[in-house]
Structures are given as structure tokens and as C-alpha cells.
Amino acid sequence: MSSMVVTANGNDNKKFKGDDKMDGAPSRVLHIRKLPGEVTETEVIALGLPFGKVTNILMLKGKNQAFLELATEEAAITMVNYYSAVTPHLRNQPIYIQYSNHKELKTDNTLNQRAQAVLQAVTAVQTTNTPISGTTVSESAVTPAQSPVLRIIIDNMYYPVTLDVLHQIFSKFGAVLKIITFTKNNQFQALLQYGDPVNAQQAKLALDGQNIYNACCTLRIDFSKLVNLNVKYNNDKSRDYTRPDLPSGDGQPALDPAIAAAFAKETSLLGLPVAAVPGALSPLAIPNAAAAAAAAAAGRVGMPGVSAGGNTVLLVSNLNEEMVTPQSLFTLFAMSHLNGQKMYGKIIRVTLSKHQTVQLPREGLDDQGLTKDFGNSPLHRFKKPGSKNFQNIFPPSATLHLSNIPPSVAEDDLRTLFANTGGTVKAFKFFQRDHKMALLQMSTVEEAIQALIDLHNYNLGENHHLRVSFSKSTI
């Protein structure tokens, strides 16, 4: 087993001969060439972190080369395979990675002190997720700005934003290795890891404050304190693009085309067009809308060669045939976040339809009340992109927001009205400053969905039509 002892004085080339072979046998030591002159140890270490623990580094600045040792040969093989498909870049410059002839890296620690300190600091950040204090490493080595991981918050989220949409947008700035999405403080957030901190910096500069879709879904981007993400499952919540072998875990796996095909055979089917907002794509709540959604999103943030068009027809299945009407679906689908919600006692499924439009029956034919055109309805709550209503779209919840209540209508009247929809009213509260608005809580989300369908636009007299939406607050 060959090992190598070198002095780590970057300009002392006489004592070190680089690996000249392009294709060596696999080794956990990797030889990295054509590095930009000003590159830091942290940036080189960051190349290896997504694939496993980095156990040693040697920078040869005079030769614009480095050696990186990973904990296992398997990690090194994964890294070389990944970067043979995706050319790695540091500071906008392509670099070259190959196996070293050496099986391990033995460095002279007294001369390689800075590199070792950086390695310890980065490893500590990676394992404890906390900033380092009291190390010999200079601050710049572990400042968040050096992290290849971005923390992304999406404000004003009118359309759901999928993991694939984020991947498509952020890939414009470099190879995206991993993404984890989650909800925190009622906000959709994501952690996204590049192979290179410089890509993260470029993406932050270009995208922070941008809208993914017209007048909504605003990106707020910061550097994460983490320098590496640990992804356990590949599904619609998290993905490690360097490890296609990961299981899908407990998360909902992306919708399989075979399942979508099975939907088409269900008895209770209804094509549902969603109003096409200019420059945006409506049906994003479902996984296999991902490709079209990503294309639209990419077009929105200026990715060349991708059209912003997309399908606006949803296929809604597993509906309660006895109860559902076009009117009830129209009222409910002024909302998003509906796949998997219970409606009239059945869990509805929402997916993209293969149809581009909903065919209305020819005039004079009896459609038994199964079709209706809402194109010119005055009841669209979200017709104007960027209107204040866009900020009030929340997933179905047991608490409803009521507005446009006339002065003559009291709490008891509203409690009775909502109890008549077949549910139980658990709580009620008028807004302190404005009795035109109130919060009302039903005992379940399903009851709230039913109440919204029945009572949105209900005439309360004095020319006041009640407005009902799901609330993000509870009483």
C-alpha cells in the first residue's frame, strides 16, 4: 500500500511529483488539478463533503493542485463518478478530479497546520451544526458566506413550490447536490447544497428577492451555517442527487405515472381547469406537475430556452358522486393544497390531466348538471395576480376566516348558520377593530371544507355576500 509523506510548502515542487495518470485504480485519495490561484482550503473540502467525511487535505498552491482524502474508497468512487458526469467548478473555473496513485495521505502536520485547522473547523461545523469558536483557523474559513448550503424561505406563497422547481431554478448557477424542504413557523423553507460555495454565492446574488411566479412566491435567501446536508430519503420532500439509491422513506413518493393512469379508470372523474394566471402555472400542488412547473418557474427567473407555458387542467378523482357538483369544486378550488384532503367523506386526489382544456357539451345536450363554465364568474377570489387575496391562501384548516359580515348579523346567527352545514362550531371570535371579519373554528378540517363550500358567497342580506377562506390562525 503506497502512502506519501510530503512537506506541505505549496511552492516546494521538487519534493513532490503530481499524479500524471488520468485513470488510476480507485483510491480514497483524490488528485485535484487546475485550481484557481486564490482558492481556499474550505472550497476544496466542500467538494468532498457531500460524499462523506473528508479526512485530510493537502494544498499545492504553487502547482494549482490539491490532494483530498476521504474516509472511505466508496465515498471517493461516488465523488469521481458524480463529477465525471457534472464538471466541477471553483470560482467559475472548471477543475479536474481523478484518483491518486496513493492510497492514503500522510502530511507533515507542522507544515500543513492551516489546512488541518480548516479541516477540523469544517468537520466540527458539519457534525455539530454550530459555529466554531476558539480555533486557530481564520474566521474567513468558516464564515457562512463560504458555505455551499443556502437556506431559502418562500414568502407570499400563492402556488405550492416543489422540490423540482427549486432544483430547476438553482441549477442555473451550478450543480445542485442536495435539497431538503420543510415547513417552519408556518413558512415553506428549503436547504439547498451546491458542490461549490461560489455557486451558492452567485445564486444568492441573482435570486434573493426574486419572485418565482408573477407577483408571488418571493425567494428570501441566506447562507446556512451548515456546510453539508444529510439526506436520508429521496422523495418529494428531500433529495440527494449524488445518491440515487436512497429509499423513499415515509415521505410521499413522487406520483408514479402508472398511478396517474389508474386515476383515469376511476368512475368519478372530473376535469377541472384552473384559471391561467399570465406567466404563471397553476397546478403545482402535485408531484407529477413538477416538470411543467419547473419549466414555468425557470422561465420566470430568466432561464434561457425554457417556455413558461404549462397545462392548466387538473384531474380530480375519488370524489363523492352523490354529493359533488361543479359549483362545490369551483368554490373549493379557489384554494390550493387540496391533494389528499377529505371532501364529502372521501379523500380526494388531484393530479395533472393529459387534457389541455375541459370540453363543454354541445349546446342543447343534457349534461345532467355535470359541467359548468365559470370563465366569467364574478366569484373568482384569486383572479388578479398580486392582489391582497394572494397573501391569504392557506392549506385547509379547521379555522375559517369570515369577512364582509353586515352589522346586523350577530355571533349567534353565524354559529347557527355554520352548524347547519352538518358540523360543530367549536369557537368564534369577531376581529376586535372590525366586526366585518371573524374567525370561526369547526371541529375538523373536513367540516370546515364542507362549510366553506356551502357558505362562501352566502347572502347575509343588506347586499352582503359572506366571504369564507381557510385561516392560518387558530382561536
Side-chain angles (χ1 to χ4, degrees), residues 274 276 279-284 289 291-293 295-296 307-313 352-353 355-356:
V274 178
L281 190 78
S282 308
L284 299 190
S307 80
N311 196 349
T312 58
V313 178
L352 262 188
S353 168
H355 299 285
Q356 298 294 318

Side-chain angles (χ1 to χ4, degrees), residues 184-249:
K184 189 176 176 185
N185 304 331
N186 273 340
Q187 271 187 313
F188 178 82
Q189 301 192 19
L191 291 167
L192 181 145
Q193 180 174 343
Y194 282 102
D196 181 347
V198 175
N199 297 140
Q201 209 152 6
Q202 289 165 338
K204 181 183 185 306
L205 281 170
L207 296 175
D208 189 24
Q210 293 272 358
N211 293 334
I212 298 179
Y213 302 109
N214 281 354
C216 64
C217 299
T218 310
L219 293 162
R220 305 275 175 231
I221 304 171
D222 281 309
F223 291 102
S224 169
K225 288 193 178 74
L226 302 173
V227 289
N228 184 39
L229 300 179
N230 182 20
V231 176
K232 292 191 173 120
Y233 302 114
N234 281 343
N235 54 39
D236 62 338
K237 301 280 189 293
S238 64
R239 207 161 298 162
D240 183 338
Y241 296 92
T242 67
R243 299 271 319 275
D245 54 309
L246 287 178
S248 65

Side-chain angles (χ1 to χ4, degrees), residues 360-411:
L360 293 169
R362 288 200 303 280
E363 229 169 302
L365 282 181
D366 179 15
D367 66 352
Q368 300 170 324
L370 293 175
T371 51
K372 190 165 180 188
D373 184 354
F374 293 98
N376 298 314
S377 170
L379 301 179
H380 286 279
R381 292 179 58 243
F382 307 111
K383 203 158 191 176
K384 289 181 192 158
S387 72
K388 202 171 172 199
N389 284 349
F390 271 53
Q391 293 163 35
N392 297 319
I393 300 177
F394 302 109
S397 68
T399 306
L400 296 168
H401 179 277
L402 317 182
S403 59
N404 207 29
I405 303 166
S408 58
V409 172
E411 176 178 336

Side-chain angles (χ1 to χ4, degrees), residues 140-180:
S140 66
V142 284
T143 52
Q146 292 280 354
S147 172
V149 180
L150 294 175
R151 186 176 67 117
I152 302 155
I153 294 175
I154 296 180
D155 281 342
N156 192 11
M157 193 160 140
Y158 170 44
Y159 297 114
V161 173
T162 64
L163 183 144
D164 297 85
V165 167
L166 292 173
H167 183 261
Q168 181 101 12
I169 293 167
F170 282 82
S171 289
K172 182 184 174 190
F173 300 92
V176 174
L177 305 188
K178 303 175 184 181
I179 306 177
I180 297 171

Side-chain angles (χ1 to χ4, degrees), residues 403-420:
S403 59
N404 207 29
I405 303 166
S408 58
V409 172
E411 176 178 336
D412 281 352
D413 302 325
L414 289 164
R415 279 178 173 270
T416 306
L417 186 64
F418 277 78
N420 282 343

